[in-house]
Amino acid sequence: MSPVILALVLTSAVVHATWNLWTKQLGPGVRSASLLWLLTGISSVFYAPFVWAQLAQGGWRPDANALWMIAGSGVIHVGYFVLLLRGYRSGDLSLVYPLARGTGPLLATAGAVVIFHEHPSPLSIAGALLIATGVLVATSGGPGPWRNRIGPGVWYGLATGVSIAVYTLWDGWGVKRAGVPPLVFYWGGEVIRVALLSPVALRAPGDIRELWRAQRLRVLGIALLSPLSYILILLALQLGDVGHIAPAREVSILIGAWLGSRVLGEGDRTRRLYAAAAFAGGVVALALA
């Protein structure tokens, strides 16, 4: 993995863990449709000038295949966000986030081998296994009342991980094989998500106004950082193999677990240190692969 790709992946990891912390801090009372509509609406407006500038300079024009890939990505990401929000309502950040982010890359790596005919090296496979070990350690049982929330958190974490693997493979194909510019690809998906969510979200405008009044700063932060974290990954996918990038980006698990235990007071810190060692070893192995 080149230094440029590694820098993109690590920057994305920090940004990604940060907006997930803010999402968890929104609390359980937020309606999914209202939140997602507001987030996607803000980000689609904010990133629109950058997209149009890139289209004007680059001369890229969409064809039917590109539009199909963008539309499919929009649908898949709606499912991902809904599962993620439900996971945060039923479980801890330090449980749901590591499990979702750990399950996704392992499935994406396997899918990359089958679909894209990529050939991961023994070192990259070892890195993926180390990351998986870290996930198992981070989500294993321990004493304390937080264990009562493991059940639904685990299920939503696993379901979110499956959706991550699906969109990683779909979007990787879109930017690498279909040749859609990453920024255009993500922004197009945001527009699709706004269109899909509008009929549901706009039925309750009061919820949207209350959410904006009470959580304006967090909503703005999530709306701007969520696309940025994934656009950085799409740029990396243009330059490298999905089978290497998908596991390497999961260094965000380490950051998310630390934020959950340190900022939110969740989980078992000693166990998180063992998990952190496995995550770090996995990232080093993938970076050297």
Side-chain angles (χ1 to χ4, degrees):
M1 185 181 295
S2 72
V4 172
I5 296 175
L6 183 60
L8 289 170
V9 171
L10 294 181
T11 302
S12 171
V14 174
V15 173
H16 194 279
T18 300
W19 75 255
N20 273 267
L21 171 66
W22 293 342
T23 302
K24 173 65 176 176
Q25 290 176 325
L26 289 174
V30 177
R31 292 182 70 247
S32 297
S34 299
L35 175 60
L36 294 180
W37 182 86
L38 196 53
L39 293 176
T40 54
I42 293 170
S43 61
S44 61
V45 171
F46 178 82
Y47 284 98
F50 301 99
V51 172
W52 291 110
Q54 183 177 29
L55 289 174
Q57 293 177 1
W60 180 85
R61 294 294 180 270
D63 56 18
N65 186 48
L67 293 174
W68 163 248
M69 297 300 297
I70 290 171
S73 177
V75 174
I76 295 168
H77 278 265
V78 168
Y80 157 72
F81 274 111
V82 169
L83 290 170
L84 183 67
L85 290 172
R86 291 185 178 179
Y88 286 156
R89 289 173 185 167
S90 60
D92 290 339
L93 174 70
S94 55
L95 171 68
V96 177
Y97 188 81
L99 188 58
R101 303 312 306 178
T103 305
L106 292 180
L107 295 174
T109 300
V113 173
V114 175
I115 298 172
F116 298 157
H117 305 293
E118 294 180 2
H119 302 285
S121 68
L123 194 57
S124 65
I125 293 174
L129 291 176
L130 277 170
I131 291 174
T133 301
V135 173
L136 291 175
V137 173
T139 58
S140 62
W146 62 274
R147 288 196 66 187
N148 296 330
R149 295 182 299 226
I150 283 184
V154 167
W155 286 114
Y156 278 118
L158 289 172
T160 305
V162 172
S163 70
I164 289 170
V166 173
Y167 79 60
T168 298
L169 293 169
W170 183 279
D171 296 354
W173 185 278
V175 300
K176 194 168 185 179
R177 303 301 171 91
V180 185
L183 180 58
V184 176
F185 188 89
Y186 190 89
W187 179 81
E190 289 284 68
V191 173
I192 294 295
R193 288 184 278 278
V194 172
L196 289 173
L197 293 165
S198 290
V200 178
L202 295 180
R203 291 177 185 172
D207 290 342
I208 297 174
R209 287 194 296 268
E210 176 60 24
L211 175 61
W212 180 249
R213 185 195 65 79
Q215 301 281 2
R216 181 177 306 176
L217 292 179
R218 284 198 180 102
V219 167
L220 278 173
I222 298 166
L224 300 182
L225 292 189
S226 176
L228 176 61
S229 67
Y230 197 57
I231 288 167
L232 292 172
I233 287 299
L234 292 177
L235 289 171
L237 288 171
Q238 275 194 322
L239 302 174
D241 288 343
V242 173
H244 289 167
I245 293 168
R249 68 181 297 211
E250 303 318 317
V251 68
S252 63
I253 295 173
L254 171 59
I255 303 168
W258 182 84
L259 289 173
S261 61
R262 186 73 176 180
V263 178
L264 303 178
E266 300 171 348
D268 183 338
R269 292 187 182 181
T270 301
R271 186 159 42 85
R272 297 295 188 264
L273 290 176
Y274 288 113
F279 295 141
V283 171
V284 170
L286 289 165
L288 296 175

